[in-house]
Amino acid sequence: MPTPPENRELSPYTGWTRVHWEAAADRLLLAVRPHASPRGGLIDLPGPRPSWSGARSDGLEGWARTFLLAALRVAGAQGEDPAGHLARYAEGLAAGPGRPGAPDPDSWPRMADTRQAIVESASIALGLRLTRPWLWDRLDDRTRHRVVDWLRPALGPSPVDNNWWLFGLTVAGFLQDAGIETDHAAATIDRSLARVEEWYVGDGWYSDGDNRAFDHYNAWALHFYPALHAHLAGDRTLLDRYGPRLHRHLDDYVHLFDASGAPLPYGRSLIYRFAAAAAPWLGTLTGHTPLTPGATRRLASGTLRYFLDRGATDERGLLTLGWHGPYPPLVQEYSGPGSPYWASKGFLGLLLPAGHPAWTDPEEALPAERTDTVRPIAPTGLLVQTTAADGLVRLHNHGSNHVHSAEEDEDDPGYARHAYSTRTGPSAGPAPADNHFALLTEDGRASTRGPALPAGTGPDWAASLHTPHPGVRVLSATLAHGRAEVRAHLVLGAPEGTPVRQTGWATTPDGPHAELHPVHGYPEAATATELPTGETLQGPGSRTLALEGGTHGPKSLFVALASLTAEPAPAPAAGLAHVRVTGHTLHVTWGNGSTDGSVTRLDLAALAALVPNGQ
């Protein structure tokens, strides 16, 4: 299927319009057709390995997630379906839930046997809800009864205490709309929303469970399902609750997108790629967004093009397990060959009619293209830094943690780094960790970061505290301005002479330019050395600058100046900030002495005292 010609008058940044989105959806759907089971109940996609749920669950995942894409494509066209997408999924609905758990090639697994089926039930239910006039209402009674019987277990309490509560909500919303088990569905909706409410930390942000995991699940799950349910149900009370939260979230979220269209790669499930565009579309769909229609399309089209132009699909047109192309270190054990198709959520904008301003207004620039920004997200401990000269986005992490247990003895590269950017790393083991401050053992092993406890944010800084070893605490702070980053670490309680190492950005040969300079606490003659950090999601051959030193008392302060830029001929980073240290207080004058001159003062010892011992 050929790509339509670009329209640079309407879309000066990406060239894409609604017809490009429709063509992209059709290409993705046509590509999976050869992998359907004999009667269309499963879509068994090729991949390097099955997920931990097994091949049959993966086949259901391939079916359910591509069905959601088909539903958005057809519902957005008001039932027009020239490629015959829904007819194929109607066949699958007749085959899949007929004998759940049976060993034949088409049967769906039972939720009692495979928990992952609960996740997929949400995509199936949402697809049925969106296409009800053209699919559900035309199914025979026997098929409808079998589908409902298969969906019904999803109305129970969630077996996983995180965003999984929203899968039952989504199934319940469909059944409620269809007039089926309405009392049971209403109880599930109330219970699910009540549990998720406990994780709302304010300013538009949720933790994905009780563990301070702040990542893209805010956009493609924790806002997506409640706000979309409220919109589809016409529930004004719920929309009045979730709409303003979505609006506030998008006020921050839009700053996480590079001028290239790349969303910031941090957190987990990054193989969902352009699902990152779901929340901006949802804001426009519900009328709760700070973005103009043209900015919304520029963000979403930029994100979709970013991945499709960089090899997200293979030679067969199938989405791969990775970021650009395949990248195994990025893949969680719960992910299988069909998992990347949760990216279907990024096509939510097709529900907006063709005449909507989001499709007809000219594209507008993203914040990263307009002005330099340093933006704290106080409830999360995150600090966003963007530069207009190169459109690059950096995220300094002082409060988002691993979605799993804090007892694990290895850091998760998606959560534990002090910083992430849209054009670098993170490195993956056994390579040294980029953007990490570590205490080193005698044999050179680096300490892990573990859970980062937020210690405060300001207009241009964020700080956190972690415990690399029992009895040792490290108060870390990042101060940012333009492209300059002052990275400070106050080490408390380490034996004198304990070696330490600060690493910088993991850049590939064709990536941006990184610098790392000692400022305080490191040996006077210290210079950064290069560490090979191997392949990252940006490509092979990354290298990372590192500084080394040693503690010099019970309270040892280490300060470095870092920079990351894609400017063609950047000025040396050493002139971007002047740092003066008095005791454990930083006085940072931004600029080279003749420009800017604004000053930031930060008392690290006082911040450390705010986080109690043992917390």
Side-chain angles (χ1 to χ4, degrees):
M1 176 179 293
T3 300
E6 292 185 353
N7 183 337
R8 290 287 171 175
E9 182 176 351
L10 184 61
S11 301
Y13 293 92
T14 72
W16 276 31
T17 64
R18 183 185 178 93
V19 296
H20 295 85
W21 280 81
E22 292 173 334
D26 286 337
R27 281 195 299 273
L28 289 169
L29 289 167
L30 292 172
V32 304
R33 285 188 179 183
H35 304 281
S37 57
R39 297 174 56 211
L42 302 173
I43 293 181
D44 296 302
L45 298 170
R49 57 152 181 81
S51 72
W52 64 14
S53 298
R56 185 166 295 269
S57 174
D58 293 347
L60 173 65
E61 191 170 62
W63 192 95
R65 299 184 181 198
T66 57
F67 171 53
L68 177 57
L69 177 57
L72 291 167
R73 172 70 175 94
V74 176
Q78 293 298 300
E80 293 185 16
D81 187 12
H85 297 309
L86 289 192
R88 299 181 67 88
Y89 287 96
E91 294 173 1
L93 289 168
R99 299 170 59 220
D104 63 83
D106 287 280
S107 289
W108 293 352
R110 299 186 308 163
M111 294 185 199
D113 299 329
T114 306
R115 292 193 315 180
Q116 186 65 29
I118 297 171
V119 182
E120 307 320 316
S121 72
S123 292
I124 294 169
L126 180 54
L128 291 171
R129 191 176 192 180
L130 294 173
T131 59
R132 187 178 159 197
W134 311 289
L135 180 56
W136 179 257
D137 291 348
R138 299 179 183 180
L139 295 175
D140 61 78
D141 288 342
R142 183 184 184 191
T143 298
R144 284 201 293 260
H145 285 309
R146 286 176 167 177
V147 172
V148 170
D149 287 344
W150 187 85
L151 289 172
R152 189 177 287 111
L155 298 179
S158 171
V160 182
D161 199 25
N162 61 3
N163 69 85
W164 277 46
W165 284 96
L166 298 173
F167 305 141
L169 161 79
T170 305
V171 171
F174 162 64
L175 294 178
Q176 196 175 58
D177 271 8
I180 302 167
E181 299 232 13
T182 53
D183 290 343
H184 194 180
T188 296
I189 291 169
D190 291 343
R191 180 178 61 232
S192 300
L193 293 178
R195 182 63 181 127
V196 173
E197 189 70 16
E198 297 180 33
W199 301 322
Y200 184 65
V201 298
D203 290 354
W205 286 85
Y206 293 85
S207 171
D208 190 14
D210 290 328
N211 44 28
R212 293 191 57 82
F214 302 108
D215 55 25
H216 286 289
Y217 273 84
N218 266 269
W220 59 45
L222 294 158
H223 283 287
F224 181 85
Y225 290 111
L228 184 57
H229 163 70
H231 172 74
L232 295 175
D235 190 323
R236 177 51 55 183
T237 299
L238 284 182
L239 198 56
D240 285 346
R241 180 194 305 172
Y242 296 112
R245 292 182 183 181
L246 174 62
H247 186 287
R248 180 63 186 85
H249 180 72
L250 292 174
D251 208 29
D252 289 328
Y253 190 65
V254 66
H255 291 271
L256 302 184
F257 289 79
D258 192 292
S260 68
L264 199 87
Y266 83 111
R268 66 189 179 101
S269 299
L270 294 177
I271 60 169
Y272 301 158
R273 294 180 173 104
F274 43 84
W281 281 131
L282 181 60
T284 299
L285 183 67
T286 61
H288 291 278
T289 180
L291 308 179
T292 64
T296 299
R297 188 176 81 258
R298 188 268 178 272
L299 183 156
S301 293
T303 299
L304 181 59
R305 282 210 68 172
Y306 175 82
F307 289 109
L308 295 183
D309 289 351
R310 288 168 175 79
T313 56
D314 64 15
E315 68 280 359
R316 297 160 295 191
L318 302 177
L319 286 173
T320 59
L321 288 155
W323 187 245
H324 297 155
Y327 182 60
L330 199 68
V331 184
Q332 275 77 31
E333 291 182 349
Y334 55 74
S335 296
S339 297
Y341 286 88
W342 238 35
S344 299
K345 295 179 178 184
F347 284 82
L348 188 70
L350 290 178
L351 296 183
L352 297 165
H356 191 280
W359 295 116
T360 60
D361 282 6
E363 288 180 340
E364 298 179 21
L366 295 176
E369 298 169 296
R370 295 197 304 263
T371 185
D372 291 0
T373 300
V374 177
R375 184 181 184 91
I377 305 174
T380 67
L382 301 173
L383 183 72
V384 183
Q385 177 188 15
T386 71
T387 42
D390 51 11
L392 203 154
V393 179
R394 311 146 192 84
L395 183 73
H396 303 285
N397 174 21
H398 291 281
S400 181
N401 294 316
H402 193 345
V403 74
H404 291 147
S405 169
E407 298 175 357
E408 297 182 2
D409 59 1
E410 292 186 3
D411 282 335
D412 185 326
Y415 290 95
R417 302 293 192 258
H418 280 88
Y420 299 87
S421 91
T422 45
R423 303 189 201 177
T424 64
S427 60
D434 62 311
N435 290 322
H436 183 53
F437 182 82
L439 278 59
L440 304 178
T441 61
E442 290 183 0
D443 60 359
R445 287 184 296 112
S447 61
T448 59
R449 187 182 188 192
L453 300 170
T457 58
D460 57 1
W461 63 269
S464 60
L465 189 142
H466 69 278
T467 304
H469 297 306
V472 179
R473 301 196 304 163
V474 178
L475 188 286
S476 300
T478 305
L479 301 84
H481 183 91
R483 63 177 171 93
E485 313 156 37
V486 174
R487 301 182 177 189
H489 307 277
L490 180 62
V491 182
L492 306 169
E496 186 166 351
T498 300
V500 302
R501 182 171 69 200
Q502 168 77 73
T503 56
W505 298 99
T507 58
T508 53
D510 58 350
H513 175 68
E515 294 182 62
L516 184 66
H517 301 285
V519 172
H520 178 86
Y522 300 98
E524 288 187 10
T527 57
T529 59
E530 274 196 340
L531 301 176
T533 39
E535 184 177 13
T536 72
L537 52 76
Q538 302 290 349
S542 78
R543 303 188 70 82
T544 300
L545 294 172
L547 291 170
E548 294 192 357
T551 57
H552 38 81
K555 293 183 178 180
S556 298
L557 177 59
F558 299 89
V559 185
L561 176 64
S563 169
L564 181 73
T565 181
E567 294 180 50
L576 300 177
H578 173 71
V579 182
R580 182 170 60 89
V581 178
T582 57
H584 302 112
T585 299
L586 304 181
H587 308 264
V588 183
T589 303
W590 301 108
N592 59 12
S594 62
T595 61
D596 200 332
S598 60
V599 178
T600 300
R601 177 183 178 277
L602 199 59
D603 185 337
L604 302 184
L607 290 176
L610 296 175
V611 185
N613 280 300
Q615 295 298 307

